[in-house]
């Protein structure tokens, strides 16, 4: 791809279900994924496979069908979201591995408030978890995305450290949500 190519990354199938009353069946998710592929979306975050057996199955079906078009067109990247733990990452891989272009997207909080109150982890523990889990994801899949959750409230120097660790461990894409509705994408240059 050209360096100045804008890639469209769609999270409808994952983020859309976080709205009250907005749930879809596996068949409905598959239909939405087909429509996104027809629109030319480059990356489809198909779901959160560890959330439920139904979500895992929906992502698996999307990976197999939408991630392998029969008409010979370039398939979109099919991405599964995973918390930075082995079980989530393994389920994400189980779901997306059938796609021609699979991706695992893992995340971990980096703000002081989240590390202290949500994760109950120190900075050192967060850095080590990012290193281990991104490396684990990369051992399964060559396309790994890492997101520092709550990056907008994170100490910038610590955030840079975590992102550097993620890149060295195998992350090929970094995503940071500066505000909840405004994703900022950064490529690691790999």
């Amino acid at each position: 791809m050209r360096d100045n190519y804008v890639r469209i990354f769609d999270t409808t199938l994952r983020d859309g279900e976080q709205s009250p009353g907005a749930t879809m069946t596996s068949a409905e998710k598959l239909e939405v994924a087909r429509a996104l592929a027809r629109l030319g979306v480059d990356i489809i975050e198909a779901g959160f496979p560890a959330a439920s057996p139904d979500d895992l199955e929906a992502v698996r079906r999307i990976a197999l069908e939408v991630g392998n078009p029969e008409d010979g067109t370039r398939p979109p990247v099919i991405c599964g979201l995973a918390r930075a733990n082995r079980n989530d990452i393994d389920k994400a891989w189980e779901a997306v591995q059938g796609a021609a272009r699979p991706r695992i997207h893992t995340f971990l909080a980096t703000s002081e408030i989240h590390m202290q109150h949500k994760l109950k982890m120190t900075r050192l523990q967060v850095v080590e978890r990012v290193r281990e889990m991104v490396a684990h994801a990369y051992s399964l899949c060559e396309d790994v995305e890492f997101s520092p959750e709550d990056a907008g409230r994170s100490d910038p120097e610590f955030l840079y450290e975590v992102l550097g660790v993620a890149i060295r461990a195998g992350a090929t894409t970094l995503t940071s949500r500066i505000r909840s509705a405004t994703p900022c994408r950064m490529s690691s240059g790999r």
Side-chain angles (χ1 to χ4, degrees), residues 65-66 68-73:
E65 183 181 318
V66 179
N68 294 288
E70 293 179 5
D71 63 3
T73 58

Side-chain angles (χ1 to χ4, degrees), residues 111-128:
S111 68
E112 289 298 327
I113 194 165
H114 279 227
M115 287 187 295
Q116 287 177 9
H117 300 289
K118 179 180 173 182
L119 301 176
K120 302 198 183 326
M121 294 172 75
T122 66
R123 285 182 174 206
L124 185 59
Q125 289 170 319
V126 166
V127 167
E128 191 53 34

Side-chain angles (χ1 to χ4, degrees), residues 146-169:
F146 173 74
S147 293
E149 183 182 10
D150 201 30
R153 294 191 290 180
S154 298
D155 171 59
E157 292 302 317
F158 179 64
L159 183 60
Y160 303 147
E161 178 185 356
V162 169
L163 295 175
V165 165
I167 291 167
R168 287 188 297 280

